[in-house]
Amino acid sequence: MPGRTTDWSPGDYLRFGDERSRPFVELVARVPSAPSTVVDLGCGPGHLTAVLRARWPAADVVGLDSSPAMVERARAENADPRARYVLADVRDYALGRSAVTGADVVISNAALQWVPDHRTLLPRLADTAGQAFAFQVPGNHDAPSHVLLREVAARAPYADVVGPVERRATADPGEYLDLLARPGWDVDVWETTYTHLLHGPDPVLGWISATGARPTLDALAAHDPALRARFEAEYGAALREAYPERPSGTALAFRRVFAVATRAA
């Protein structure tokens, strides 16, 4: 998973593993290919390799991630002994500068939003795929969870440490269609809003602390662990108000945007 942070925490990320996995399952099901090689860009802790193996049992699967902690976890778990996990950056891959090169299918789940100006790389990433290029990115950066992150981080004393929190600009399906629809390609784009029912104390804070809020929390912790704790208390209170607990749990609406570009026959 690319990103400006000290490193990612596989354990925190997998706390809501089932909810985070569902979009990938639905993305993979829409890829109409029979590849012999698959590259998973931003593979994280390797927990989704089984989805690729179930879809394409005979394929050579390579997971690529820029996080040493994620690659180490993927290798240690070894959920698929036939898969390989490589430490590499998505931008380097797109530009042909990584040890891993093109595959029949190139796929990415909730990772490209961390790549600066990822939209300019999409045609290059598609060109590395012999059969299909597919990805999913969050489209919820104007949801209360992210708006409140930016608002609380902009207050004193946090703003002096973290500066403005970037609104990661993923696109709508139509824009991804325009970027990928070229001669020789068939493109399928869509969006889905999932409503996840989360449980436990401060579940929305737990969810976003492993992903969208991680760079902010890391910056505060590096400066002063007590400041991070103060921020989490303030941000957590705002999240509890925005996402009230119900008798059945805490509902988190999460919009995701999908694209599958397939080389025309």
Side-chain angles (χ1 to χ4, degrees):
M1 299 174 67
R4 183 173 55 84
T5 182
T6 53
D7 203 353
W8 298 96
S9 169
D12 290 344
Y13 185 79
L14 291 172
R15 177 181 170 188
F16 301 103
D18 289 344
E19 292 86 354
R20 298 190 198 279
S21 299
R22 181 177 169 188
F24 189 65
V25 173
E26 296 179 6
L27 174 67
V28 169
R30 297 279 284 270
V31 180
S33 298
S36 59
T37 53
V38 179
V39 166
D40 181 4
L41 301 176
C43 65
H47 62 299
L48 296 177
T49 303
V51 177
L52 298 174
R53 180 62 61 207
R55 178 75 170 86
W56 299 300
D60 177 26
V61 177
V62 180
L64 181 152
D65 207 287
S66 64
S67 163
M70 289 293 193
V71 171
E72 181 179 353
R73 176 66 174 265
R75 291 170 175 169
E77 291 292 327
N78 197 27
D80 180 358
R82 294 173 53 200
R84 295 182 291 124
Y85 300 99
V86 177
L87 185 65
D89 182 83
V90 170
R91 290 188 62 85
D92 288 339
Y93 177 85
L95 299 174
R97 299 192 303 231
S98 73
V100 179
T101 55
D104 292 332
V105 167
V106 177
I107 198 162
S108 181
N109 182 63
L112 295 181
Q113 75 275 10
W114 293 105
V115 180
D117 202 17
H118 74 279
R119 281 175 275 194
T120 64
L121 291 179
L122 293 181
R124 285 180 175 267
L125 288 171
D127 287 343
T128 69
Q131 297 177 9
F133 169 56
F135 67 90
Q136 175 271 126
V137 290
N140 67 329
H141 297 291
D142 289 324
S145 56
H146 289 68
V147 172
L148 289 169
L149 173 64
R150 297 191 291 269
E151 289 181 354
V152 176
R155 300 171 188 166
Y158 316 119
D160 291 340
V161 177
V162 301
V165 174
E166 179 184 356
R167 179 191 178 278
R168 298 196 175 274
T170 54
D172 291 333
E175 186 173 350
Y176 286 132
L177 175 65
D178 290 339
L179 290 168
L180 292 169
R182 301 171 289 160
W185 291 90
D186 296 323
V187 182
D188 181 18
V189 295
W190 72 97
E191 65 178 76
T192 299
T193 298
Y194 301 87
T195 300
H196 300 301
L197 194 61
L198 309 181
H199 302 280
D202 288 327
V204 179
L205 178 63
W207 176 291
I208 196 171
S209 293
T211 53
R214 182 78 188 208
T216 300
L217 296 174
D218 280 354
L220 291 169
H223 180 78
D224 181 358
L227 190 62
R228 169 176 170 156
R230 177 178 168 184
F231 176 88
E232 285 183 311
E234 192 171 337
Y235 181 39
L239 289 174
R240 287 193 296 275
E241 183 175 352
Y243 300 92
E245 185 177 10
R246 308 176 184 186
S248 56
T250 301
L252 172 66
F254 201 117
R255 174 176 176 260
R256 295 183 182 269
V257 181
F258 300 77
V260 177
T262 307
R263 290 191 184 272

